[in-house]
Amino acid sequence: MRELVFALEYEPGCNRVADALADHPDARVRSLSLHVTADRLWRVDHATGTATALDAVEDAFLNGDYYADCLVTEDCGATQTTRVLDRADDTLVLYSDWERTPACASVPHIARDHFGDGVLFETRHEGRHYTWRLIHSGRGDVAAFFDALESAVGECAQTELLRTADTTTSATGADGTPSALPPAQEAALQAAVEHGYYESPREVDVSELAEHLDVPRSTLTYRLRRAEEHVAKQHVAGERGANERLASR
């Protein structure tokens, strides 16, 4: 089995969910379940954020001109249904059922075309950054998949490969977090340190650093946040491991 992790960075106006999340940086949407056949897609998503942010996310899912995961930027004639399964002050659970037409395209359907049945999907959507994690048999052509994906998204999103690896080769630490940063996150973190982003006071802000790296500000913010999360978890796991070793002596 193979793992494939990549991200789409949506341009403004190309995806209503991405626009809603960009307007509310505190909000997140992650998949709880996602299933696909040749002409159908079912998924359950869990969103977190303020009440105002969740209102915007819910509206984007329920009242978009086309299904949120469709890579076509206009109405393709598909039939979709999205229902709210649960709603609290800071959480929202949505169920979506999408019956596509030949004009439709989506990440899961492109993945199925290239990797066959049985692909497992996990998604995380923050701002305009939409991260996908796929587990597949390994028999497909990753390069051909990316060519098809880039053709489908066109100018509406940038694609970024984050990781591809054999799932039998452990890429996680003792706490289940990745043991190494993806190259893009490593480069962002290194540049942030070298240019004084973590100095007090800061010698450079995110916008200036993004301009230096020639990436969108939202992309750099996402990469730094993921890298910082990784470093923090690795640190805590290391401290916990050290304490356990001392206690066992």
Short mmCIF file of all heavy atoms in Angstrom, two decimals, residues 212-245:
data_model
loop_
_atom_site.label_atom_id
_atom_site.label_comp_id
_atom_site.label_asym_id
_atom_site.label_seq_id
_atom_site.Cartn_x
_atom_site.Cartn_y
_atom_site.Cartn_z
N HIS A 212 9.38 36.81 -0.20
CA HIS A 212 10.74 36.31 -0.40
C HIS A 212 10.75 34.89 -0.96
O HIS A 212 11.56 34.56 -1.84
CB HIS A 212 11.51 36.34 0.94
CG HIS A 212 12.85 35.67 0.88
ND1 HIS A 212 13.95 36.26 0.30
CD2 HIS A 212 13.25 34.45 1.31
CE1 HIS A 212 14.98 35.43 0.37
NE2 HIS A 212 14.59 34.33 0.99
N LEU A 213 9.83 34.06 -0.47
CA LEU A 213 9.76 32.66 -0.92
C LEU A 213 8.94 32.51 -2.20
O LEU A 213 8.89 31.40 -2.75
CB LEU A 213 9.15 31.79 0.19
CG LEU A 213 9.97 31.66 1.47
CD1 LEU A 213 9.18 30.92 2.54
CD2 LEU A 213 11.29 30.94 1.19
N ASP A 214 8.29 33.58 -2.63
CA ASP A 214 7.48 33.57 -3.85
C ASP A 214 6.34 32.56 -3.74
O ASP A 214 6.12 31.74 -4.64
CB ASP A 214 8.35 33.29 -5.08
CG ASP A 214 7.62 33.60 -6.39
OD1 ASP A 214 6.71 34.46 -6.35
OD2 ASP A 214 7.95 33.00 -7.43
N VAL A 215 5.63 32.60 -2.61
CA VAL A 215 4.44 31.76 -2.42
C VAL A 215 3.33 32.64 -1.86
O VAL A 215 3.60 33.68 -1.27
CB VAL A 215 4.71 30.58 -1.43
CG1 VAL A 215 5.78 29.66 -1.98
CG2 VAL A 215 5.07 31.10 -0.05
N PRO A 216 2.07 32.24 -2.04
CA PRO A 216 0.97 33.02 -1.46
C PRO A 216 1.08 33.07 0.07
O PRO A 216 1.56 32.13 0.69
CB PRO A 216 -0.28 32.26 -1.90
CG PRO A 216 0.13 31.50 -3.11
CD PRO A 216 1.57 31.13 -2.88
N ARG A 217 0.64 34.18 0.63
CA ARG A 217 0.69 34.34 2.08
C ARG A 217 -0.05 33.22 2.80
O ARG A 217 0.43 32.69 3.82
CB ARG A 217 0.10 35.69 2.47
CG ARG A 217 0.24 36.05 3.95
CD ARG A 217 -0.44 37.39 4.24
NE ARG A 217 -0.17 37.84 5.58
CZ ARG A 217 -0.82 37.43 6.67
NH1 ARG A 217 -1.78 36.54 6.54
NH2 ARG A 217 -0.50 37.89 7.87
N SER A 218 -1.22 32.85 2.27
CA SER A 218 -2.01 31.80 2.92
C SER A 218 -1.29 30.45 2.90
O SER A 218 -1.37 29.67 3.84
CB SER A 218 -3.37 31.67 2.24
OG SER A 218 -3.22 31.33 0.87
N THR A 219 -0.54 30.19 1.80
CA THR A 219 0.22 28.94 1.71
C THR A 219 1.32 28.91 2.75
O THR A 219 1.52 27.89 3.43
CB THR A 219 0.83 28.80 0.30
OG1 THR A 219 -0.23 28.73 -0.66
CG2 THR A 219 1.68 27.54 0.20
N LEU A 220 2.05 30.02 2.87
CA LEU A 220 3.13 30.06 3.86
C LEU A 220 2.58 29.94 5.27
O LEU A 220 3.15 29.22 6.11
CB LEU A 220 3.92 31.36 3.72
CG LEU A 220 5.05 31.55 4.74
CD1 LEU A 220 6.09 30.44 4.61
CD2 LEU A 220 5.71 32.91 4.57
N THR A 221 1.47 30.62 5.55
CA THR A 221 0.86 30.52 6.88
C THR A 221 0.50 29.08 7.20
O THR A 221 0.75 28.59 8.31
CB THR A 221 -0.40 31.40 6.96
OG1 THR A 221 -0.03 32.77 6.71
CG2 THR A 221 -1.05 31.30 8.32
N TYR A 222 -0.08 28.38 6.23
CA TYR A 222 -0.44 26.98 6.43
C TYR A 222 0.80 26.13 6.70
O TYR A 222 0.83 25.32 7.63
CB TYR A 222 -1.18 26.45 5.20
CG TYR A 222 -1.41 24.96 5.25
CD1 TYR A 222 -2.52 24.44 5.91
CD2 TYR A 222 -0.52 24.08 4.66
CE1 TYR A 222 -2.73 23.07 5.97
CE2 TYR A 222 -0.72 22.71 4.71
CZ TYR A 222 -1.83 22.22 5.37
OH TYR A 222 -2.02 20.85 5.44
N ARG A 223 1.85 26.31 5.90
CA ARG A 223 3.05 25.50 6.06
C ARG A 223 3.71 25.73 7.41
O ARG A 223 4.15 24.78 8.07
CB ARG A 223 4.04 25.81 4.93
CG ARG A 223 3.58 25.34 3.56
CD ARG A 223 4.54 25.79 2.47
NE ARG A 223 4.07 25.36 1.15
CZ ARG A 223 4.67 25.72 0.01
NH1 ARG A 223 5.73 26.51 0.03
NH2 ARG A 223 4.20 25.28 -1.14
N LEU A 224 3.77 26.99 7.83
CA LEU A 224 4.36 27.29 9.13
C LEU A 224 3.53 26.70 10.27
O LEU A 224 4.08 26.16 11.23
CB LEU A 224 4.52 28.80 9.31
CG LEU A 224 5.62 29.47 8.49
CD1 LEU A 224 5.58 30.98 8.71
CD2 LEU A 224 7.00 28.93 8.87
N ARG A 225 2.22 26.80 10.16
CA ARG A 225 1.35 26.26 11.21
C ARG A 225 1.53 24.75 11.33
O ARG A 225 1.62 24.20 12.43
CB ARG A 225 -0.10 26.62 10.91
CG ARG A 225 -1.06 26.23 12.04
CD ARG A 225 -2.38 26.95 11.95
NE ARG A 225 -3.04 26.71 10.69
CZ ARG A 225 -3.33 27.66 9.80
NH1 ARG A 225 -3.00 28.91 10.04
NH2 ARG A 225 -3.94 27.36 8.67
N ARG A 226 1.58 24.05 10.19
CA ARG A 226 1.75 22.60 10.22
C ARG A 226 3.13 22.23 10.76
O ARG A 226 3.30 21.28 11.52
CB ARG A 226 1.57 22.02 8.81
CG ARG A 226 0.19 22.11 8.25
CD ARG A 226 -0.72 20.98 8.74
NE ARG A 226 -1.14 21.14 10.13
CZ ARG A 226 -2.11 21.91 10.53
NH1 ARG A 226 -2.78 22.61 9.65
NH2 ARG A 226 -2.42 22.01 11.80
N ALA A 227 4.16 23.01 10.36
CA ALA A 227 5.52 22.73 10.84
C ALA A 227 5.63 22.98 12.34
O ALA A 227 6.25 22.19 13.07
CB ALA A 227 6.53 23.60 10.09
N GLU A 228 5.02 24.06 12.81
CA GLU A 228 5.04 24.37 14.24
C GLU A 228 4.31 23.29 15.04
O GLU A 228 4.75 22.90 16.13
CB GLU A 228 4.42 25.74 14.48
CG GLU A 228 5.27 26.88 13.94
CD GLU A 228 4.49 28.18 13.78
OE1 GLU A 228 3.27 28.16 14.09
OE2 GLU A 228 5.08 29.18 13.33
N GLU A 229 3.19 22.82 14.50
CA GLU A 229 2.45 21.74 15.15
C GLU A 229 3.32 20.49 15.27
O GLU A 229 3.37 19.84 16.31
CB GLU A 229 1.18 21.42 14.35
CG GLU A 229 0.37 20.26 14.91
CD GLU A 229 -0.80 19.90 14.02
OE1 GLU A 229 -1.02 20.60 12.99
OE2 GLU A 229 -1.50 18.92 14.32
N HIS A 230 4.02 20.17 14.19
CA HIS A 230 4.90 19.01 14.18
C HIS A 230 6.01 19.13 15.23
O HIS A 230 6.24 18.21 16.02
CB HIS A 230 5.53 18.86 12.79
CG HIS A 230 6.67 17.89 12.73
ND1 HIS A 230 6.50 16.55 12.52
CD2 HIS A 230 8.01 18.08 12.87
CE1 HIS A 230 7.68 15.95 12.52
NE2 HIS A 230 8.60 16.86 12.73
N VAL A 231 6.67 20.29 15.24
CA VAL A 231 7.77 20.50 16.18
C VAL A 231 7.27 20.42 17.62
O VAL A 231 7.92 19.81 18.49
CB VAL A 231 8.45 21.86 15.91
CG1 VAL A 231 9.45 22.19 17.01
CG2 VAL A 231 9.16 21.83 14.56
N ALA A 232 6.12 21.03 17.90
CA ALA A 232 5.56 21.01 19.26
C ALA A 232 5.24 19.58 19.70
O ALA A 232 5.56 19.17 20.82
CB ALA A 232 4.32 21.89 19.33
N LYS A 233 4.61 18.81 18.83
CA LYS A 233 4.25 17.44 19.18
C LYS A 233 5.49 16.57 19.37
O LYS A 233 5.54 15.73 20.27
CB LYS A 233 3.34 16.84 18.10
CG LYS A 233 1.93 17.43 18.10
CD LYS A 233 1.07 16.79 17.03
CE LYS A 233 -0.36 17.32 17.08
NZ LYS A 233 -1.22 16.73 16.02
N GLN A 234 6.50 16.76 18.51
CA GLN A 234 7.73 16.00 18.65
C GLN A 234 8.43 16.34 19.96
O GLN A 234 8.97 15.46 20.64
CB GLN A 234 8.67 16.29 17.47
CG GLN A 234 8.19 15.73 16.14
CD GLN A 234 8.24 14.22 16.10
OE1 GLN A 234 7.27 13.54 16.44
NE2 GLN A 234 9.36 13.67 15.70
N HIS A 235 8.40 17.62 20.32
CA HIS A 235 9.03 18.05 21.58
C HIS A 235 8.33 17.41 22.78
O HIS A 235 8.98 16.87 23.68
CB HIS A 235 8.99 19.56 21.69
CG HIS A 235 9.46 20.08 23.02
ND1 HIS A 235 10.79 20.12 23.38
CD2 HIS A 235 8.76 20.55 24.10
CE1 HIS A 235 10.91 20.59 24.62
NE2 HIS A 235 9.68 20.86 25.07
N VAL A 236 7.00 17.49 22.80
CA VAL A 236 6.25 16.93 23.91
C VAL A 236 6.45 15.41 23.98
O VAL A 236 6.62 14.85 25.07
CB VAL A 236 4.75 17.27 23.77
CG1 VAL A 236 3.92 16.50 24.79
CG2 VAL A 236 4.53 18.77 23.94
N ALA A 237 6.45 14.76 22.82
CA ALA A 237 6.66 13.31 22.81
C ALA A 237 8.05 12.96 23.34
O ALA A 237 8.23 11.99 24.07
CB ALA A 237 6.49 12.77 21.40
N GLY A 238 9.05 13.78 22.98
CA GLY A 238 10.40 13.54 23.47
C GLY A 238 10.52 13.73 24.96
O GLY A 238 11.18 12.94 25.65
N GLU A 239 9.87 14.78 25.47
CA GLU A 239 9.89 15.02 26.91
C GLU A 239 9.19 13.90 27.66
O GLU A 239 9.66 13.43 28.69
CB GLU A 239 9.20 16.36 27.22
CG GLU A 239 9.98 17.59 26.80
CD GLU A 239 11.24 17.77 27.62
OE1 GLU A 239 11.16 17.66 28.86
OE2 GLU A 239 12.31 17.98 27.02
N ARG A 240 8.06 13.45 27.11
CA ARG A 240 7.31 12.36 27.75
C ARG A 240 8.16 11.08 27.78
O ARG A 240 8.22 10.37 28.77
CB ARG A 240 6.00 12.12 27.02
CG ARG A 240 5.11 11.08 27.69
CD ARG A 240 3.85 10.83 26.89
NE ARG A 240 3.04 12.04 26.78
CZ ARG A 240 2.75 12.63 25.63
NH1 ARG A 240 3.22 12.14 24.49
NH2 ARG A 240 1.99 13.71 25.62
N GLY A 241 8.82 10.80 26.65
CA GLY A 241 9.66 9.61 26.57
C GLY A 241 10.81 9.67 27.56
O GLY A 241 11.16 8.67 28.20
N ALA A 242 11.42 10.85 27.68
CA ALA A 242 12.54 11.01 28.62
C ALA A 242 12.08 10.80 30.06
O ALA A 242 12.76 10.16 30.85
CB ALA A 242 13.16 12.39 28.45
N ASN A 243 10.92 11.37 30.39
CA ASN A 243 10.39 11.21 31.75
C ASN A 243 10.07 9.73 32.06
O ASN A 243 10.31 9.25 33.16
CB ASN A 243 9.14 12.05 31.94
CG ASN A 243 9.44 13.55 31.94
OD1 ASN A 243 10.57 13.95 32.24
ND2 ASN A 243 8.46 14.35 31.60
N GLU A 244 9.53 9.04 31.06
CA GLU A 244 9.21 7.63 31.28
C GLU A 244 10.46 6.79 31.47
O GLU A 244 10.49 5.86 32.27
CB GLU A 244 8.39 7.12 30.08
CG GLU A 244 6.98 7.68 30.02
CD GLU A 244 6.24 7.27 28.76
OE1 GLU A 244 6.90 6.67 27.86
OE2 GLU A 244 5.03 7.54 28.67
N ARG A 245 11.51 7.14 30.72
CA ARG A 245 12.78 6.41 30.88
C ARG A 245 13.38 6.63 32.25
O ARG A 245 13.91 5.73 32.88
CB ARG A 245 13.76 6.82 29.76
CG ARG A 245 13.40 6.27 28.38
CD ARG A 245 14.53 6.45 27.42
NE ARG A 245 14.80 7.86 27.15
CZ ARG A 245 14.20 8.57 26.20
NH1 ARG A 245 13.27 8.01 25.44
NH2 ARG A 245 14.50 9.85 26.01
#
